[in-house]
Amino acid sequence: MDQNLYNYLLMLGDNSMILGHRLSELCGHGPSLETDIALTNISLDLFGQVRNIFQYAAKLNDQESSEDSIAFLRNERQHYNCILVEQPNTDFAHVILRQYLFDQFQLLQLNFLLQSKDEQLKAIAAKSIKETKYHIRFSSEWCKRLGQGTEISHNKITTALELLYPFCNEFFETTEVEKEMMERGIGPNLEELRVQYFDNVTTLLNEAGLSIPQTPFRVSGGKHGRHSEHLGYILAEFQYMQKTYPNMQW
Amino acid sequence: MSPEINLEEQFQARIDAGQKIEPKDWMPEKYRKTHIRQISQHAHSEVVGMLPEGNWITRAPSLRRKVGLLAKVQDEAGHGLYLYSAAETLGISRDEMYEQLHTGKAKYSSIFNYPTLSWADIGAIGWLVDGAAIINQVMLTRTSFGPYARAMVRICKEESFHQRQGYEIMLGLAKGTPEQKEMAQDALNRFWWPSLMMFGPRDEDSPNTAQSVKWKIKRKTNDELRQQFVDITVPQAEFLGLSIPDPTLQWNEERGHYDFGEIDWNEFWQVVKGNGPCNKERLAARVDAWEEGAWVRDAAMAYAEWKEKEKIKKAV
Ligand SMILES: [Fe+2]
Ligand SMILES: [Fe+2]
């Protein structure tokens, strides 16, 4: 099996899966019906992407595997998502900002993947990018509303920014797997995306009346399977049925 | 004859002729009030109904089921939206309707005050609860108030999809391992009677029916609808190989219907009065979402106003 491509797919899939899970926790609890529907929609899109990616990964895998065995049967250390996406839904400002910071990265990444040398990934990107463009419209508009809305909303999104922004560097810390993907023309050169990313983020934050926090970036490790303490609880819930009732069809 | 009586007669004549009443048309005050009450309570049911099923989204057993459930709960939010909009045409705001829900003045369907204790409950709800809702709602597609009837047409299509999805979950469980079958049976046991309660009190205890029939809100009585539901559902349970938790259930050749046992009306009224297993939690979840969302809605409003001013400034 092409182990590096497989692991690369896990990285891509896990970002969408864990963020999709966080958003799914909010279903029925949004600040308005409209935002509830929109956030559920984003969650649905992300899980749709996860299914495409994991179905492809399952085909690559020599052992018997399926989208569900990949999604539900790995332990914490076998998840490779960035730590940003596992951060909790502290309040709507955290939800929106986490979404925007991810969407901006995902958009740049998918933009590259549209020309990936891997045909499957290219096809998945073509479908996903339309969704991601919609997601970032939603999240960036809301960043502006909260940043420029009231003093309360401005303070809340400032607090969220101070907590979440330091996680963003992790997107661009190139792992061995990603280096190989770049060399094979399958994945992007993350260093090149970095510049574009922080330019775009700075522009949006300015429009939202927010300034870039001076806090240093955090030491990370999500892409190596070293996560925050949140992930264990996410997985306990996410994997509950598969762990309690193994080997069954649902 | 006073002009008022004349108007009311003309109004009833239009309904009798099968015409739809539109928001701008003249209507008796009682018609307006009844519709505000019924449509808003229907909307609240859609929205509160998101909670018991939402309870299993994060624990859904497969990606396919998770996506199916997310989409279903999202549809229910959409139903809430159409219905709130339909009620708004009668001159009440969405905020006022929320206020009535949060203070307990407005009711919502009691079925959502029961807990979802296993994954099979998601199947049972789709099959039975959406199934019972469809029976009511198909009737309402022909109700006299235009916006309500049209909302129902859209909603019914999605509800039948939900019902099939729920039944398919049950079928998978019933044909699965013994543990899965047991889970399915347990869900049926717990949701059967509350589903029958969804059709409301017995006809003799339902004083509004005559007026509702006149306005075509109702074309069949509670007991007729309940019978229809039982007749449709019993063979479906048989096909699943599950048993309905009613020892008196029996086909009655003469009537051409199933005979079935008596609902526990004490439980029915207790849940209506707010003493069901989850009434407090459901209402608290809605109130929390609303209160915690206040600053978000304020921000959106302030931003929109600010944008508007900027636009005017630029124009000047
Ligand atoms: Fe519905
Ligand atoms: Fe439904």
Side-chain angles (χ1 to χ4, degrees):
Chain A
M1 159 170 88
D2 186 341
Q3 188 67 49
N4 278 341
L5 177 57
Y6 182 77
N7 284 354
Y8 183 60
L9 294 176
L10 293 187
M11 276 185 192
L12 294 176
D14 285 346
N15 274 340
S16 298
M17 181 172 86
I18 300 302
L19 186 56
H21 175 88
R22 277 302 190 206
L23 295 172
S24 79
E25 293 174 348
L26 292 166
C27 185
H29 304 276
S32 67
L33 269 181
E34 287 82 355
T35 49
D36 207 309
I37 290 172
L39 291 173
T40 303
N41 219 19
I42 297 175
S43 177
L44 269 169
D45 288 343
L46 291 172
F47 277 114
Q49 295 171 12
V50 173
R51 294 189 71 191
N52 291 330
I53 293 168
F54 286 175
Q55 281 166 11
Y56 177 32
K59 262 192 256 161
L60 286 181
N61 198 333
D62 309 322
Q63 271 125 44
E64 210 171 289
S65 93
S66 66
E67 59 173 51
D68 286 331
S69 71
I70 296 174
F72 291 97
L73 300 178
R74 287 175 291 138
N75 65 31
E76 285 170 74
R77 298 281 278 110
Q78 295 163 328
H79 283 79
Y80 303 109
N81 58 281
C82 293
I83 290 176
L84 174 77
V85 299
E86 61 201 49
Q87 296 308 302
N89 302 325
T90 308
D91 63 18
F92 190 72
H94 284 73
V95 171
I96 286 301
L97 194 72
R98 182 185 64 202
Q99 191 62 41
Y100 171 72
L101 293 173
F102 174 75
D103 289 341
Q104 187 57 255
F105 168 68
Q106 186 75 339
L107 191 60
L108 294 172
Q109 176 167 257
L110 289 172
N111 221 3
F112 174 88
L113 291 176
L114 287 177
Q115 293 127 44
S116 172
K117 290 239 165 74
D118 185 284
E119 288 300 320
Q120 282 273 18
L121 216 41
K122 205 167 141 173
I124 292 171
K127 188 174 172 289
S128 309
I129 199 159
K130 287 183 212 132
E131 297 165 351
T132 304
K133 280 181 181 162
Y134 157 77
H135 302 169
I136 199 167
R137 247 203 324 270
F138 176 81
S139 62
S140 59
E141 271 307 305
W142 269 106
C143 280
K144 288 190 250 174
R145 283 193 194 107
L146 298 185
Q148 307 277 19
T150 63
E151 199 184 324
I152 296 174
S153 69
H154 181 85
N155 291 343
K156 283 189 191 272
I157 197 165
T158 303
T159 306
L161 186 61
E162 270 157 22
L163 180 83
L164 298 175
Y165 184 79
F167 288 112
C168 292
N169 196 48
E170 186 181 8
F171 292 134
F172 309 101
E173 291 176 348
T174 312
T175 62
E176 282 303 313
V177 168
E178 286 167 318
K179 190 161 162 262
E180 194 199 296
M181 289 304 115
M182 176 184 76
E183 284 160 5
R184 289 165 60 185
I186 295 175
N189 178 337
L190 292 174
E191 278 307 322
E192 282 172 15
L193 297 196
R194 180 201 293 270
V195 181
Q196 182 75 60
Y197 178 85
F198 285 105
D199 272 0
N200 293 355
V201 168
T202 307
T203 308
L204 185 274
L205 291 181
N206 282 337
E207 281 179 62
L210 301 165
S211 41
I212 301 276
Q214 294 309 304
T215 359
F217 289 123
R218 293 229 201 175
V219 174
S220 61
K223 290 201 263 186
H224 299 280
R226 297 189 304 272
H227 292 276
S228 70
E229 290 174 350
H230 300 298
L231 187 68
Y233 293 94
I234 291 177
L235 296 181
E237 197 170 337
F238 186 77
Q239 301 179 343
Y240 165 72
M241 288 296 289
Q242 291 276 346
K243 290 279 166 79
T244 315
Y245 306 96
N247 303 316
M248 295 184 199
Q249 295 297 312
W250 302 96
Chain B
M1 201 159 57
S2 78
E4 183 79 354
I5 290 169
N6 209 345
L7 277 170
E8 209 160 331
E9 275 172 2
Q10 282 169 8
F11 175 82
Q12 189 59 47
R14 287 186 58 199
I15 292 181
D16 294 342
Q19 287 175 28
K20 292 281 180 256
I21 305 302
E22 296 302 330
K24 291 210 164 62
D25 297 345
W26 182 88
M27 60 183 78
E29 211 34 44
K30 199 164 164 236
Y31 182 89
R32 181 187 302 278
K33 285 214 173 97
T34 302
H35 276 81
I36 287 178
R37 194 185 68 231
Q38 173 156 345
I39 299 170
S40 67
Q41 293 189 0
H42 194 159
H44 298 326
S45 300
E46 300 285 353
V47 172
V48 177
M50 296 167 74
L51 298 170
E53 290 187 281
N55 184 39
W56 278 89
I57 289 173
T58 56
R59 291 177 293 169
S62 69
L63 291 177
R64 180 171 155 255
R65 291 298 179 204
K66 191 183 290 284
V67 167
L69 182 56
L70 267 167
K72 186 207 185 225
V73 177
Q74 188 191 34
D75 284 347
E76 306 301 0
H79 299 171
L81 268 185
Y82 311 151
L83 287 164
Y84 284 126
S85 307
E88 279 173 326
T89 65
L90 291 166
I92 184 170
S93 73
R94 222 207 285 181
D95 284 9
E96 282 172 86
M97 290 185 265
Y98 282 148
E99 172 77 19
Q100 292 175 349
L101 172 68
H102 297 158
T103 55
K105 195 181 157 216
K107 298 273 180 242
Y108 56 86
S109 179
S110 277
I111 190 75
F112 303 120
N113 291 316
Y114 288 85
T116 50
L117 304 179
S118 81
W119 170 253
D121 291 11
I122 300 309
I125 288 179
W127 171 35
L128 301 172
V129 176
D130 287 76
I134 290 167
I135 290 184
N136 251 316
Q137 290 172 180
V138 164
M139 176 182 73
L140 285 168
T141 58
R142 295 189 298 155
T143 191
S144 60
F145 185 54
Y148 195 26
R150 287 189 292 273
M152 281 302 121
V153 172
R154 277 176 85 173
I155 289 173
C156 272
K157 281 188 199 134
E158 291 179 351
E159 300 296 12
S160 33
F161 181 76
H162 297 165
Q163 205 249 353
R164 279 202 300 280
Q165 183 170 279
Y167 191 70
E168 200 227 312
I169 291 176
M170 291 303 272
L171 192 59
L173 297 174
K175 306 287 174 219
T177 66
E179 263 173 307
Q180 286 175 307
K181 187 168 182 183
E182 193 189 318
M183 199 187 275
Q185 182 64 58
D186 175 57
L188 172 56
N189 291 349
R190 284 180 289 106
F191 277 95
W192 174 252
W193 292 106
S195 301
L196 295 192
M197 293 178 195
M198 284 175 72
F199 298 95
R202 272 183 305 223
D203 292 348
E204 59 263 39
D205 303 321
S206 185
N208 288 328
T209 298
Q211 181 67 74
S212 298
V213 170
K214 250 179 97 189
W215 287 338
K216 300 194 175 173
I217 302 176
K218 269 199 168 303
R219 286 168 182 266
K220 288 179 183 164
T221 68
N222 292 355
D223 287 333
E224 284 168 345
L225 293 167
R226 193 165 12 243
Q227 181 71 60
Q228 189 183 337
F229 175 74
V230 171
D231 290 347
I232 291 172
T233 312
V234 172
Q236 293 173 345
E238 278 167 6
F239 185 78
L240 293 174
L242 299 177
S243 45
I244 302 242
D246 178 356
T248 65
L249 186 88
Q250 206 180 10
W251 177 253
N252 183 326
E253 196 63 59
E254 219 170 284
R255 290 203 308 128
H257 292 292
Y258 283 93
D259 291 336
F260 56 96
E262 195 61 41
I263 286 171
D264 179 346
W265 293 108
N266 179 46
E267 177 178 319
F268 173 90
W269 290 113
Q270 282 302 318
V271 183
V272 169
K273 282 178 194 145
N275 304 318
C278 298
N279 296 57
K280 304 274 182 295
E281 288 83 350
R282 300 294 185 238
L283 207 53
R286 288 315 312 161
V287 171
D288 284 355
W290 182 247
E291 286 176 356
E292 281 165 24
W295 69 268
V296 176
R297 298 188 302 273
D298 290 347
M301 191 101 79
Y303 181 76
E305 281 165 12
W306 177 71
K307 273 272 177 187
E308 195 54 37
K309 270 189 214 141
E310 291 288 293
K311 222 166 69 191
I312 293 167
K313 242 193 261 168
K314 261 184 209 153
V316 175

